[in-house]
Amino acid sequence: MIPDVGAPVEAGSPGQVDITFTVNGTKNLQIISPYIYGLNDQTQAAATHATITRIGGNRMTAYNWENNASNAGSDYMFENDDYLCSQVSCMPSHTTPGAFLKAVIDQSAAANAAVLVTVPIVDYVAADTSPGGDVRNSGSNYLQTRFKQNKAAKGSAFVYPPDTTDAYVYEDEMISWLTKTGDPNATLRFQLDNEPDLWSSTHAEIHPVAVTYAELAQRDVTYATAIKNVVPTAHVVGPVNYGWAGYVNLQNATDSQADGDFLDWWLDQMKAAESTAGKRLVDGMDLHWYPEATGGGVRITDDGTGAAEVAAREQAPRSLWDMSYQETSWIQQSLNGAIYLIPRMMQKIAQHYPGTKLSISEWNYGGGTDISGAIASADVLGVFGVYGVDMAMLWPLNGNEAYTYSAFQAYRSYDGKGAAFGDVSCDATTTDVPDSSVYGSITSSDASKLVIVAINKATTIKVAGVVIEHPTVYTKAAVYTVTAAGGPMPVAAPGITAVATNAFRYTMPAQSISVIVPTP
């Protein structure tokens, strides 16, 4: 709930500074979704204080919940195997129905994190975990011998354990078990498969023909209906596009010329499905976003730390919101203008299916071992809150995301003890957008509790003026910083005191994230 804050006192001047941050705790107040601080790795949920994890990725497209078999497609040899249960403790055995899901959900719930569960919507899921190698080498009838038919709805009573001797796997039976007996206290949301625009390449073993607009919409409606028939209040998202070409034309689907922009069309179809069903079937439009921005000819999503790549990485979050910013990428060139991603997507929703939530279930800006990765990720998390993103989950890309995770700590536990950014975003502006960012928050239960995240992208120290517009008069502020020298964790820095009414001068370390917590 957005609190009634009242009128602000008149703030004084911080004096001569390099940058001025103005944070108004009474203006542009908006609830921040608790689910934007998410990960695709439940093992890091407790350490980062993540609010949601995702069971997703290419393995989930052919995941068989009845025995935990899966097939990663082109990611690993098109092989049916036991990889998922080899990564977690599947109890009491690897073939216990739903054991992989339960292990991930239990670990997430122990960290107070909700879970976004991927529901397979293709026609086949893995039947076994051996023999190894490409299943297509098992004979011309490998779909009948190495896979089971995947069905949205069983059409008869659910049982647990499910019948593993028949030729079918039922997703609504999985939903029923998960929500009623598997882990009934967990907070679950559901996603309609993973990156369908790439099925014909990633999962050529079960879907060798490129998906069309019509096919995907039909599958989304069918499986969303099955989910909602089991759990009417379930939060369901699709279409889970892999990237920009998926958004625009579903990776050049054969019906793209006739039907136009894919996301516009998909939203129209989901709206029509609600009219037919008499209830909303799909609650959110979910996308994946790995920036195509480059610096010095190198894409920023790797772990490179060259000066040009670092500069491009730190600027790239502006493509999420800034109409005036044009990154160097093929996407920008195709638009001949700014990407302006989140407002662009929100406009589609407003025009084609109002009330639909926007989520980004995979994202990463690279530089996981570098302060630039922390800076970019902290900027992204701030943008998600300001612009009303409903869910978001970082996908670990390069093995080590220590600095990326420090950005989560800045918002979720900046003092190492669970002190967090507020749940209500407030107006926050900077006089130097290229070199800095600032995000402000208050707490719905205590409007006087103000937390500010300030980012210095410059390679030099900057003196910032922090001007606070709020009914509370703040006289001092605690400071926590993430810097290259301090390592990938927020550390307490010397506090600051007001130089005038609600005005502070703060010397920002070069390339840093600062959490500023003012108090009376």
Side-chain angles (χ1 to χ4, degrees):
M1 183 173 126
I2 296 178
D4 183 6
V5 182
V9 298
E10 184 175 351
S13 170
Q16 186 173 355
V17 294
D18 299 318
I19 300 169
T20 299
F21 297 133
T22 302
V23 180
N24 190 329
T26 71
K27 184 179 177 184
N28 291 336
L29 302 184
Q30 174 178 278
I31 293 293
I32 299 172
S33 170
Y35 297 127
I36 62 172
Y37 308 108
L39 302 177
N40 277 275
D41 182 358
Q42 84 283 354
T43 67
Q44 295 296 323
T48 60
H49 293 256
T51 52
I52 189 168
T53 69
R54 171 176 174 255
I55 303 175
N58 285 328
R59 279 202 170 266
M60 294 306 295
T61 293
Y63 170 67
N64 179 350
W65 79 279
E66 293 187 349
N67 64 0
N68 305 297
S70 65
N71 189 307
S74 62
D75 282 0
Y76 189 73
M77 298 170 57
F78 295 98
E79 174 182 278
N80 284 359
D81 55 38
D82 188 37
Y83 177 84
L84 293 174
C85 274
S86 73
Q87 301 302 299
V88 300
S89 297
C90 283
M91 301 295 291
S93 75
H94 285 204
T95 57
T96 300
F100 167 70
L101 298 176
K102 182 167 172 52
V104 176
I105 291 168
D106 285 351
Q107 189 170 5
S108 299
N112 297 312
V115 181
L116 178 63
V117 179
T118 297
V119 178
I121 68 172
V122 291
D123 289 338
Y124 296 95
V125 293
D128 55 56
T129 59
S130 65
D134 192 331
V135 290
R136 294 172 295 181
N137 295 330
S138 300
S140 59
N141 64 338
Y142 72 89
L143 287 174
Q144 287 70 48
T145 60
R146 303 296 306 277
F147 289 86
K148 291 207 172 185
Q149 294 182 51
N150 188 45
K151 299 290 185 182
K154 185 177 182 181
S156 59
F158 301 136
V159 295
Y160 186 86
D163 183 359
T164 58
T165 65
D166 65 10
Y168 304 100
V169 171
Y170 301 105
E171 298 303 332
D172 61 347
E173 192 164 52
M174 179 189 78
I175 301 297
S176 177
W177 170 72
L178 274 180
T179 55
K180 296 177 182 177
T181 59
D183 199 331
N185 296 318
T187 299
L188 304 181
R189 291 181 161 200
F190 300 99
Q191 181 174 65
L192 299 168
D193 218 290
N194 179 72
E195 299 185 348
D197 10 31
L198 300 181
W199 279 343
S200 62
S201 56
T202 303
H203 278 290
E205 82 284 9
I206 52 175
H207 200 290
V209 178
V211 70
T212 64
Y213 287 26
E215 179 195 350
L216 184 56
Q218 181 271 325
R219 289 184 183 275
D220 282 348
V221 169
T222 298
Y223 281 82
T225 299
I227 295 168
K228 290 291 180 97
N229 284 344
V230 176
V231 186
T233 59
H235 187 91
V236 180
V237 302
V240 204
N241 293 119
Y242 85 97
W244 189 263
Y247 309 169
V248 174
N249 55 34
L250 200 61
Q251 196 72 353
N252 291 313
T254 56
D255 47 357
S256 61
Q257 289 292 322
D259 292 326
D261 181 271
F262 172 68
L263 290 178
D264 289 348
W265 182 91
W266 183 84
L267 287 164
D268 287 340
Q269 300 310 301
M270 297 306 107
K271 183 178 180 181
E274 177 183 350
S275 297
T276 300
K279 60 183 178 182
R280 182 180 271 271
L281 299 175
V282 174
D283 304 277
M285 183 174 79
D286 183 77
L287 310 172
H288 293 171
W289 180 247
Y290 296 97
E292 296 282 351
T294 63
V298 180
R299 189 178 176 190
I300 65 170
T301 49
D302 69 8
D303 266 346
T305 57
E309 184 178 354
V310 163
R313 179 179 295 127
E314 293 179 354
Q315 293 299 314
R318 293 174 63 186
S319 288
L320 293 173
W321 65 272
D322 190 348
M323 180 65 86
S324 69
Y325 178 68
Q326 297 189 30
E327 67 182 32
T328 301
S329 73
W330 69 264
I331 298 175
Q332 181 274 327
Q333 291 171 357
S334 71
L335 290 169
N336 194 28
I339 295 175
Y340 197 52
L341 183 73
I342 296 175
R344 184 186 295 272
M345 296 302 145
M346 291 295 193
Q347 185 178 39
K348 289 177 179 293
I349 287 169
Q351 291 178 346
H352 294 274
Y353 195 10
T356 303
K357 303 293 187 180
L358 176 65
S359 61
I360 301 175
S361 62
E362 290 186 21
W363 66 273
N364 196 305
Y365 278 66
T369 59
D370 185 64
I371 186 63
S372 65
I375 287 171
S377 298
D379 216 355
V380 169
L381 292 173
V383 171
F384 287 164
V386 170
Y387 285 89
V389 172
D390 181 59
M391 289 191 297
M393 297 90 183
L394 176 83
W395 181 277
L397 273 183
N398 302 304
N400 187 340
E401 296 287 352
Y403 269 96
T404 307
Y405 291 146
S406 72
F408 283 79
Q409 293 280 15
Y411 284 91
R412 297 294 300 147
S413 184
Y414 53 78
D415 65 348
K417 301 176 183 177
F421 198 66
D423 59 351
V424 178
S425 174
C426 65
D427 193 71
T429 59
T430 174
T431 56
D432 187 349
V433 171
D435 271 351
S436 68
S437 298
V438 63
Y439 302 97
S441 71
I442 60 174
T443 302
S444 56
S445 60
D446 182 0
S448 69
K449 185 178 179 182
L450 186 70
V451 179
I452 300 164
V453 172
I455 299 171
N456 180 14
K457 306 173 196 175
T459 56
T460 57
I461 290 170
K462 295 286 186 179
V463 177
V466 182
V467 178
I468 300 172
E469 298 179 358
H470 195 283
T472 303
V473 175
Y474 300 100
T475 61
K476 57 186 180 293
V479 178
Y480 303 84
T481 62
V482 178
T483 62
M489 186 70 68
V491 297
I496 54 178
T497 57
V499 297
T501 301
N502 279 359
F504 297 80
R505 288 169 60 88
Y506 170 55
T507 301
M508 304 175 71
Q511 286 189 297
S512 64
I513 305 165
S514 297
V515 183
I516 302 170
V517 188
T519 54

